[in-house]
């Protein structure tokens, strides 16, 4: 995971510096679904101008920046990989904490809303992770997730560092942590990434490949990414967008 989420993240920021700022948002959102998926979450979560939004596992900061530019949210990023934090800071200049989502360095109820995109499947103790998100938002606050779920009993290829929950396990974990589901949809049911974004993100990836393809860290990250893309293409792993609210009931685990 370090290769993909730390080293390559930093290389991505360097590639954007070469290609221009218009490449930053598409490249930094690559891991997280389309702008339409982010809009779906923002609408369902009720993100309003000025909302204090935590992005846990923020990666290179694309989704948080998208929320700031398109929904006037005030994002704070938390992300355990230092290279990704440095990249996010360099690309967008928003507040970033190097932090594990299992132990967020924020007081209780510090945010109006939180989202976490493509992160839960990298966490073993999913309930502890969800409890931290719940703790960080005000009562009734919105919590949005993009979760890659396992649609079959066992996967032919398990990418390192990932443990995909089934949809039923996800719903159990949300219930147990006092996060009430408001709405959910399949990622495949919202419009995909527009061609100009795809093009810009691909150009960034091409520069990273040109400069680092002989580096075994790039090769490991590439192989990891190909495995996940294959699982999604074959519908063995399915992206789900879930919009929740912090409920009244305390966590019961
Ligand atoms: C697929 S990437 C998604 C990044 C970003 N959310 C996006 O949508 O572009 C998964 C992210 O989860 C982060 N991550 C892994 N373990 C984590 C943890 N314990 N707490 C918070 N984030 C974590 C990784 O470092 C990586 O940045």
């Amino acid at each position: 995971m370090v290769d993909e989420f730390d080293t390559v993240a930093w290389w991505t920021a360097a590639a954007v510096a070469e290609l221009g700022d218009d490449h930053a948002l598409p490249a930094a959102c690559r891991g997280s679904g389309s702008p339409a998926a982010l809009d779906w979450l923002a609408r369902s979560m009720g993100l309003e101008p000025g909302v204090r939004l935590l992005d846990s596992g923020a990666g290179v900061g694309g989704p948080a920046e998208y929320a700031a530019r398109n929904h006037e949210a005030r994002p704070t990023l938390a992300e355990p990989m230092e290279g990704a934090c440095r990249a996010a800071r360099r690309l967008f200049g928003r507040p970033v904490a190097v932090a594990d989502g299992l132990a967020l360095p924020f007081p209780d109820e510090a945010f109006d809303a939180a989202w976490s995109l493509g992160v839960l499947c990298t966490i073993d103790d999913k309930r502890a992770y969800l409890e931290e998100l719940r703790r960080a938002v005000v009562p009734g606050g919105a919590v949005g997730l993009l979760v890659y779920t396992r649609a079959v009993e066992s996967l032919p290829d398990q990418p390192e560092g990932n443990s995909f929950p089934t949809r039923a396990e996800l719903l159990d974990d949300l219930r147990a942590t006092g996060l009430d589901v408001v709405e959910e949809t399949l990622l495949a049911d919202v419009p995909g990434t527009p061609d100009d974004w795809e093009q810009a993100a691909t150009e960034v990836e091409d520069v990273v490949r040109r400069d680092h393809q002989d580096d075994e860290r790039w090769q490991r990250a590439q192989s990891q990414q190909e495995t996940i893309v294959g699982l999604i293409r074959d519908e063995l792993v399915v992206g789900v967008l879930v919009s929740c609210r912090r409920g009244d009931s305390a966590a019961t685990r």
Side-chain angles (χ1 to χ4, degrees):
M1 286 216 306
V2 172
D3 301 318
E4 191 179 3
F5 298 139
D6 192 85
T7 312
V8 174
W10 179 243
W11 291 343
T12 297
V16 168
E18 176 180 324
L19 291 167
D21 285 347
D22 56 331
H23 287 65
L25 205 47
C29 281
R30 232 250 156 133
S32 52
S34 61
L38 300 176
D39 287 335
W40 184 93
L41 271 178
R43 181 201 48 76
S44 184
M45 291 168 66
L47 296 191
E48 290 178 345
V51 71
R52 296 167 301 166
L53 174 69
L54 169 66
D55 187 341
S56 185
V60 189
E65 185 63 18
Y66 187 88
R69 290 189 196 174
N70 293 280
H71 300 280
E72 297 177 54
R74 286 193 291 134
T76 297
L77 289 67
E79 161 60 48
M81 300 286 173
E82 208 183 315
C85 292
R86 280 193 292 128
R89 188 83 187 153
R90 177 174 174 178
L91 290 174
F92 305 116
R94 306 279 174 189
V96 182
V98 181
D100 186 340
L102 289 160
L104 291 168
F106 307 113
D108 294 355
E109 304 175 14
F111 298 94
D112 303 307
W115 73 17
S116 186
L117 311 172
V119 182
L120 203 62
C121 62
T122 68
I123 307 285
D124 285 330
D125 192 344
K126 296 179 186 358
R127 292 191 184 186
Y129 186 81
L130 293 170
E131 277 170 14
E132 270 299 87
L133 289 178
R134 183 182 193 277
R135 181 187 70 76
V137 299
V138 296
V143 174
L145 301 168
L146 165 58
V147 184
Y148 287 98
T149 59
R150 180 165 47 83
V152 288
E153 189 64 32
S154 65
L155 296 171
D157 218 354
Q158 178 72 36
E160 180 238 326
N162 281 270
S163 70
F164 301 99
T166 63
R167 179 173 169 278
E169 287 166 349
L170 171 64
L171 294 179
D172 279 350
D173 289 343
L174 292 170
R175 203 172 301 120
T177 46
L179 290 173
D180 300 338
V181 175
V182 175
E183 203 177 357
E184 64 173 307
T185 188
L186 297 177
L187 187 58
D189 286 347
V190 296
T193 306
D195 289 346
D196 57 335
W197 273 50
E198 277 295 344
Q199 169 78 15
T202 301
E203 285 168 14
V204 171
E205 284 187 356
D206 287 347
V207 168
V208 172
R209 176 184 291 107
R210 180 198 70 197
D211 292 346
H212 302 288
Q213 61 187 337
D214 295 331
D215 189 317
E216 59 184 33
R217 293 171 295 178
W218 181 86
Q219 292 161 3
R220 281 195 298 265
Q222 188 67 12
S223 140
Q224 175 90 346
Q225 215 191 344
E226 281 167 12
T227 302
I228 293 181
V229 167
L231 292 171
I232 293 170
R233 183 196 56 228
D234 296 340
E235 299 181 359
L236 304 175
V237 164
V238 175
V240 181
L241 295 164
V242 192
S243 164
C244 308
R245 294 251 155 225
R246 174 177 162 165
D248 294 333
S249 55
T252 54
R253 85 196 196 107

